[in-house]
Amino acid sequence: MGHGGGGALSAELVEHLFAPAYGNDLLAGLADSTALTLAGTRLAFSTDSYVVRPLFFPGGSIGDLAVNGTVNDLAMSGARAAYLSCAFILEEGTDLSVVGRIAQAVGAAAVAAGVSIATGDTKVVDAGHGDGVFINTSGIGLIPHGVDIRPQRATPGDLVIVSGPIGMHGVAIMSVREGLEFGVEVTSDTAPLGGLVDAMLDVTPDLHTLRDPTRGGVATALNEIAAASGTGVLLHEHAVPVPEPVAGACGFLGLDPLYVANEGRLLAFVPRSHADAVLAAMRAHPLGAQAAVIGECVTEHPGMVVARTRFGGTRVVDLPLGEQLPRIC
Amino acid sequence: MGHGGGGALSAELVEHLFAPAYGNDLLAGLADSTALTLAGTRLAFSTDSYVVRPLFFPGGSIGDLAVNGTVNDLAMSGARAAYLSCAFILEEGTDLSVVGRIAQAVGAAAVAAGVSIATGDTKVVDAGHGDGVFINTSGIGLIPHGVDIRPQRATPGDLVIVSGPIGMHGVAIMSVREGLEFGVEVTSDTAPLGGLVDAMLDVTPDLHTLRDPTRGGVATALNEIAAASGTGVLLHEHAVPVPEPVAGACGFLGLDPLYVANEGRLLAFVPRSHADAVLAAMRAHPLGAQAAVIGECVTEHPGMVVARTRFGGTRVVDLPLGEQLPRIC
């Protein structure tokens, strides 16, 4: 299961199995989406499959995730999603009313994100060889002129901004899956981030790196960026916004919120000179109201993420081997 | 299972469930790929999931199908595939050497088709909730200027050309799945059709309709085109190239070769004035060496496919309800 968790095992699979087999370097850097040029037009292209369990959870469904996840992967290249594909793999016997509700959620999420579902496919597999509904979405969007957002561009001096409180999607899934109650219901943060990124790009096209910390959470995203860019990342742990119910649930379950999945948050690596203005623009947007600076890029410990703890100490924030919680998206 | 078979039940699902939920008309006509305009560039965009069982079969594997299938869907809009995404859903416990062999097949098929794998994703589901390996590929390609190939453009007077012998993919799958032997081994016809379509477009950009008759076979493809365009299709049954081992296997199994899946063939609806030249260009290409005119568009029986039989009679060739053989691709 670890190979699908977005951690070190997933990265190994790409590096040692898929990338050599495909014989090109487009997968290098493990970006959320790939920037391409086609007939002189710069496009972002991205794909993700969604196998979340259960199909419906507080704050959304697999349909919302499938749209927002791919819209967000495109936004992490600075691209505004234009068109999505949407392919269903249904398990024989799945109630068509369930499929209908999910399709409605896909449609509503597409409208909210300003993207059109352009093409689709449906396959059915025998009972016992699927799990209700799996969805793949792929998306294409235009990258504006002058925008070059990549993990490799993070550089010492950049400030690291998170767009809002972390860990809500993962805890929402855990609460329904495990039948746990944490006093206050935590709802998934699933949301389309294209508008927030547009507001940030209005301040400056010179954002260095964007990433939505989904599988593997903030810790994994920071590690991937540190590895791709070779910069060190210093995380100010006390500055990371962790909602009280998320902190409580993680304490109860023995999890670290830094590793819990988010589906409507982003991390931005921004040149220090632009950081105040970018932060202000984020806070003026509904999806960035609680944005905060949580770290910086440093010349020390290149390629590594180190957290300064509440108590003034430091600790290495590792890439997880697999995933704390499988099938989170 | 019928909802995934590409027949009437699949069409109903799109028409009554997905298209209304998505609230746009991009899915109308059930084309293999959708033509889009992005920043003034005309693109084709397509997606397909592959759930074929078994993963390896005479003539290819799920990896070949996943590349060729999406390359072909793009080619059916006249587009040369440029970039593919490739997303794996693995079942927990699947041997990584199997995944590696499939990734190698994907890479080799991409080289053969002249397309780059630009972006990918891997998810893992628990044992018993998947079936080894499922793959989704989506693809984008440029549509040349002056090319407008759509099911709606088929029109009375067009000749219908098939690019080669039919039914080989479906019979190859059946032979391994059912452990049947038909004397001669039938291998899948899986192949990338972009080069063949380029050769046809060199004759004239005015091809009306192209379709690769995959799930549901030639009969289903002809029915979809007749329905989308409102033209009648008259099929000369004796002219359809059915290889002897395919005919034998279908006789033995009680199947009609017209409904058996192909993965490296195309149907072309061509204005009569260009038909000879297009046919000659097809026969000069390795993948069209056995191309043949198999029918024509007529004003009679609009929206219906009628076959003239070997014995001079006629019969209606219906859209199948589901699929003769599930999980063929």
Side-chain angles (χ1 to χ4, degrees):
Chain A
M1 297 294 295
H3 286 103
L9 287 172
S10 288
E12 265 180 30
L13 208 59
V14 175
E15 190 181 337
H16 297 299
L17 194 149
F18 291 117
Y22 299 163
N24 68 50
D25 55 5
L26 291 167
L27 302 183
L30 297 168
D32 287 327
S33 57
T34 302
L36 307 171
T37 303
L38 200 58
T41 302
R42 285 184 69 224
L43 296 177
F45 186 29
S46 183
T47 191
D48 258 322
S49 298
Y50 299 86
V51 299
V52 66
R53 200 164 48 85
L55 297 171
F56 301 89
F57 46 80
S61 73
I62 189 173
D64 298 290
L65 285 192
V67 171
N68 293 335
T70 294
V71 163
N72 293 350
D73 284 346
L74 295 173
M76 299 307 112
S77 292
R80 192 62 182 258
Y83 296 103
L84 295 190
S85 65
C86 188
F88 281 69
I89 298 177
L90 307 177
E91 185 186 9
E92 184 186 18
T94 302
D95 196 326
L96 277 186
S97 72
V98 169
V99 181
R101 282 171 65 201
I102 293 170
Q104 292 289 339
V106 166
V111 168
V115 66
S116 295
I117 307 292
T119 182
D121 177 54
T122 309
K123 293 290 190 308
V124 180
V125 295
D126 345 31
H129 291 291
D131 199 4
V133 178
F134 300 148
I135 301 180
N136 176 282
T137 53
S138 301
I140 51 179
L142 282 177
I143 302 177
H145 287 290
V147 170
D148 179 23
I149 300 173
R150 288 179 286 131
Q152 293 86 348
R153 288 197 67 215
T155 191
D158 285 357
L159 293 187
V160 181
I161 303 175
V162 68
S163 65
I166 69 165
M168 295 174 65
H169 177 72
V171 168
I173 294 286
M174 273 182 258
S175 67
V176 282
R177 197 185 296 170
E178 311 298 340
L180 300 173
E181 306 219 359
F182 306 117
V184 183
E185 186 185 68
V186 177
T187 57
S188 169
D189 57 337
T190 180
L193 295 170
L196 177 62
V197 171
D198 283 353
M200 297 164 71
L201 287 172
D202 282 346
V203 175
T204 173
D206 193 28
L207 306 175
H208 285 170
T209 306
L210 296 174
R211 169 114 1 172
D212 59 334
T214 55
R215 282 184 287 178
V218 168
T220 300
L222 293 178
N223 266 283
E224 288 173 354
I225 293 164
S229 63
T231 185
V233 175
L234 181 65
L235 183 67
H236 305 304
E237 203 161 10
H238 67 277
V240 179
V242 181
E244 193 52 52
V246 170
C250 286
F252 180 75
L253 295 165
L255 301 177
D256 182 339
L258 286 178
Y259 292 90
V260 175
N262 312 274
E263 291 289 341
R265 301 290 178 246
L266 64 80
L267 296 168
F269 285 63
V270 182
R272 198 171 288 256
S273 55
H274 294 303
D276 283 349
V278 169
L279 188 64
M282 292 174 75
R283 287 184 173 160
H285 189 282
L287 290 172
Q290 296 180 67
V293 174
I294 61 167
E296 60 196 294
C297 292
V298 294
T299 50
E300 294 82 31
H301 50 80
M304 280 177 63
V305 182
V306 170
R308 180 159 294 148
T309 66
R310 266 159 236 277
F311 314 108
T314 56
R315 65 174 177 113
V316 172
V317 178
D318 258 342
L319 195 62
L321 191 65
E323 166 62 282
Q324 294 176 323
L325 187 69
R327 298 184 58 185
I328 200 81
C329 64
Chain B
M1 296 296 295
H3 285 102
L9 287 170
S10 289
E12 265 182 28
L13 208 59
V14 174
E15 189 180 340
H16 297 300
L17 194 148
F18 291 118
Y22 300 163
N24 68 50
D25 55 6
L26 292 167
L27 301 184
L30 297 167
D32 288 326
S33 56
T34 302
L36 307 170
T37 302
L38 200 58
T41 301
R42 285 183 71 223
L43 296 177
F45 185 28
S46 182
T47 190
D48 258 322
S49 299
Y50 298 86
V51 298
V52 66
R53 199 163 48 84
L55 297 171
F56 301 90
F57 47 79
S61 72
I62 189 173
D64 299 289
L65 286 192
V67 171
N68 293 336
T70 294
V71 164
N72 293 349
D73 284 347
L74 295 173
M76 299 307 112
S77 293
R80 191 62 183 257
Y83 296 104
L84 295 191
S85 64
C86 188
F88 280 70
I89 298 177
L90 307 177
E91 184 186 10
E92 182 186 18
T94 302
D95 195 325
L96 277 186
S97 72
V98 169
V99 181
R101 282 172 64 201
I102 293 170
Q104 291 289 343
V106 166
V111 168
V115 66
S116 296
I117 307 292
T119 181
D121 177 52
T122 309
K123 294 291 191 305
V124 180
V125 296
D126 345 29
H129 291 290
D131 198 4
V133 177
F134 300 148
I135 300 181
N136 176 282
T137 54
S138 301
I140 52 180
L142 281 177
I143 301 177
H145 287 290
V147 169
D148 179 23
I149 300 174
R150 289 179 285 131
Q152 294 85 349
R153 287 197 68 215
T155 191
D158 286 356
L159 292 188
V160 181
I161 303 174
V162 68
S163 65
I166 69 165
M168 295 174 64
H169 177 71
V171 167
I173 294 286
M174 272 182 260
S175 66
V176 282
R177 199 185 295 170
E178 312 297 339
L180 299 175
E181 306 218 0
F182 305 117
V184 184
E185 186 185 67
V186 177
T187 57
S188 170
D189 57 337
T190 181
L193 295 170
L196 177 62
V197 171
D198 283 353
M200 297 164 71
L201 287 172
D202 282 346
V203 175
T204 173
D206 192 28
L207 306 175
H208 284 169
T209 306
L210 296 175
R211 168 110 8 168
D212 59 333
T214 55
R215 283 185 288 179
V218 168
T220 301
L222 293 178
N223 265 282
E224 287 173 356
I225 293 163
S229 63
T231 184
V233 175
L234 180 64
L235 183 67
H236 305 304
E237 202 162 10
H238 66 277
V240 179
V242 181
E244 193 53 50
V246 169
C250 286
F252 181 75
L253 296 165
L255 301 176
D256 182 339
L258 286 176
Y259 293 89
V260 175
N262 311 274
E263 292 289 338
R265 301 289 177 244
L266 63 78
L267 297 167
F269 286 62
V270 180
R272 197 172 288 255
S273 56
H274 295 303
D276 283 347
V278 169
L279 187 65
M282 292 174 76
R283 287 185 173 160
H285 189 282
L287 290 172
Q290 296 179 68
V293 174
I294 60 167
E296 59 195 295
C297 292
V298 295
T299 50
E300 293 82 30
H301 51 80
M304 279 177 65
V305 181
V306 171
R308 181 160 294 150
T309 66
R310 266 159 235 275
F311 315 106
T314 57
R315 65 175 177 112
V316 172
V317 178
D318 258 343
L319 195 61
L321 191 66
E323 166 63 280
Q324 293 176 324
L325 186 70
R327 298 184 57 186
I328 200 81
C329 63

